[in-house]
Amino acid sequence: MMYLLTERGDKFVEYITRITEFNKEQEVHSTVQKFTQAAIAACAFGVDIDTFDQEHEKLQMIDRKMFTVSFGRELEMMYPGILNKIGGSLFPKEVAAFFLNLVEHVIAQRNGEPTNRNDFMDLILNLRKEKHISGPMMENDDTERSLDITDEVMAAQAFVLYSASTMGFLLYQLALNPDIQDKVVAEIKEVLVKHNGEMTLQAVLDLSYMSKVFDETLRMYPIAPDLRRKSSSTYKIPGTNITIEKNQLVKIPILGIHHDETIYPNPEVFDPERFSPENIATRHSCAFLPFGVGPRHCIGLRFAQVQSRVCLAKLLSQFRVEPSNNTPRQFSYEPRRVVLYPKGGLPINFIKRH
């Protein structure tokens, strides 16, 4: 899918060039959302949506409904499984219908057969030709399980890739930390020279310092502030008198762990070197949980990492980000959003490089 991501990255840079001719200051989250929506539409659902030249109210509506706290979501948090028992859903019916209709439309357009586009829909249509997926569900588990690939299953998999991006927070921190931004840009130039100016998958993987910046952004601003899991067995926490009973709901405070001074000294300081191999080795494997961990970690992890790096490499090659007169140094989060989102937005300046 790299060619799809690089095409959207080029269009995004063209879009930034146009809008900053009139106003260098732009709200960073809503601006980069243009890229993520275009990239996800192209790669996950196999449709070309021009989010740069016109507003797509339907996508904006779906985004709000997906990531806004609802009564049903709160009820499910308190009583896991209750929505399934009463025929409810975490998401409004129009959200599920939107994704299912979109997938059915793409399948019909392709006559149920994969094309040479090589997007997510092609990959899963190829699997569908095999009638089902089979294989072990977890490491060290030889049990064979199968899953019929219905339209609903395909829509569910594509839905997971429709995730929030961390690029807004990352660009905000680069604007506040020009020395870190300079290191990122220097690495982008070096890697592009090494790969003859082409943004290949290997070029993305070679952006090691950007990877540290990406992880430090996720540490400070994890997409989901907490996780909820149900214990599979009874477990007594060592050194305490606390016992977690089997099937008990456990809330894992990711935002709290990521800002724990005993794990990350001076947690409010943006420091990518926290994620050097040497520093990572000193921490517990569960001290960093932006995508969860284990067999139930977010399947959109690699896609999010690649699409973000492609966009950032394209953008920072031609633009510098700086604080504007309205850039806040402190802000609060929007309380009704399921994922972390800055209340009031984060305006920054996009300055064209010469």
Side-chain angles (χ1 to χ4, degrees):
M1 304 179 196
M2 277 298 296
Y3 79 99
L4 294 170
L5 290 175
T6 55
E7 286 175 0
R8 271 67 197 170
D10 289 334
K11 287 186 176 181
F12 179 62
V13 172
E14 292 172 5
Y15 169 73
I16 295 294
T17 301
R18 289 198 304 275
I19 64 174
T20 53
E21 285 181 3
F22 305 101
N23 186 5
K24 291 181 173 58
E25 183 186 74
Q26 301 290 330
E27 198 289 306
V28 66
H29 278 79
S30 58
T31 300
V32 297
Q33 188 181 49
K34 299 274 189 178
F35 169 79
T36 56
Q37 287 183 342
I40 292 166
C43 295
F45 299 101
V47 294
D48 294 316
I49 297 178
D50 186 359
T51 60
F52 304 122
D53 287 327
Q54 53 184 306
E55 291 293 332
H56 284 268
E57 294 182 3
K58 188 73 172 179
L59 284 176
Q60 298 296 333
M61 181 274 289
I62 292 297
D63 178 84
R64 287 193 299 270
K65 288 183 177 293
M66 280 174 59
F67 298 117
T68 300
V69 174
S70 65
F71 172 74
R73 194 183 294 268
E74 292 295 318
L75 190 63
E76 180 71 16
M77 289 177 184
M78 291 186 288
Y79 305 102
I82 191 171
L83 291 180
N84 189 46
K85 292 179 180 178
I86 64 177
S89 172
L90 278 176
F91 300 99
K93 291 181 179 179
E94 55 263 47
V95 172
F98 171 80
F99 285 104
L100 182 57
N101 291 339
L102 185 55
V103 166
E104 289 175 342
H105 175 70
V106 173
I107 294 172
Q109 274 191 328
R110 302 183 185 187
N111 298 316
E113 294 291 328
T115 65
N116 60 356
R117 186 182 171 95
N118 294 322
D119 56 21
F120 184 83
M121 296 305 297
D122 270 356
L123 297 176
I124 206 163
L125 280 170
N126 267 316
L127 290 172
R128 190 184 216 181
K129 292 180 70 175
E130 300 175 12
K131 305 300 183 183
H132 68 279
I133 301 172
S134 64
M137 302 292 283
M138 296 174 61
E139 291 183 29
N140 304 318
D141 178 7
D142 296 327
T143 305
E144 291 286 326
R145 300 174 176 85
S146 64
L147 175 68
D148 291 333
I149 305 180
T150 63
D151 288 358
E152 288 80 3
V153 169
M154 294 176 73
Q157 304 313 308
F159 166 82
V160 173
L161 295 183
Y162 191 100
S163 59
S165 170
T166 194
M167 284 192 294
F169 286 121
L170 191 153
L171 288 171
Y172 166 72
Q173 281 294 338
L174 290 188
L176 298 181
N177 296 277
D179 55 330
I180 295 175
Q181 183 176 175
D182 289 341
K183 290 181 182 179
V184 171
V185 174
E187 181 184 61
I188 292 170
K189 290 180 179 179
E190 180 182 337
V191 167
L192 287 177
V193 168
K194 177 182 175 182
H195 292 274
N196 300 316
E198 295 184 24
M199 184 51 61
T200 62
L201 180 58
Q202 187 57 53
V204 171
L205 297 176
D206 286 347
L207 294 169
S208 58
Y209 187 71
M210 185 186 288
S211 178
K212 295 178 186 177
V213 173
F214 188 75
D215 287 346
E216 174 65 350
T217 304
L218 285 168
R219 180 198 67 80
M220 289 191 75
Y221 314 104
I223 295 172
D226 57 67
L227 287 175
R228 288 165 179 79
R229 295 290 184 265
K230 187 183 291 185
S231 64
S232 58
S233 61
T234 299
Y235 178 77
K236 186 177 186 300
I237 300 177
T240 75
N241 59 357
I242 299 172
T243 298
I244 299 173
E245 301 296 337
K246 182 178 180 179
N247 294 326
Q248 185 171 354
L249 181 67
V250 180
K251 182 175 179 179
I252 304 164
I254 298 176
L255 187 62
I257 292 171
H258 286 190
H259 286 257
D260 188 333
E261 291 187 352
T262 63
I263 304 172
Y264 300 101
N266 301 315
E268 300 307 318
V269 174
F270 188 79
D271 181 10
E273 290 306 320
R274 298 182 200 272
F275 290 91
S276 66
E278 299 77 18
N279 286 330
I280 291 175
T282 65
R283 294 192 294 267
H284 191 282
S285 60
C286 291
F288 184 60
L289 298 167
F291 293 97
V293 69
R296 292 184 61 83
H297 79 282
C298 176
I299 69 168
L301 165 61
R302 291 188 66 194
F303 179 79
Q305 291 175 329
V306 173
Q307 77 154 357
S308 298
R309 290 177 175 94
V310 168
C311 180
L312 291 168
K314 294 279 187 179
L315 176 66
L316 294 174
S317 293
Q318 298 195 38
F319 282 88
R320 182 173 188 82
V321 289
E322 298 178 355
S324 72
N325 292 333
N326 300 309
T327 302
R329 267 52 177 185
Q330 293 182 326
F331 58 87
S332 57
Y333 296 112
E334 178 55 56
R336 290 194 56 79
R337 296 280 289 191
V338 176
V339 296
L340 286 189
Y341 197 86
K343 191 173 184 179
L346 298 174
I348 62 173
N349 284 337
F350 291 80
I351 310 299
K352 183 72 174 176
R353 295 184 185 277
H354 297 288

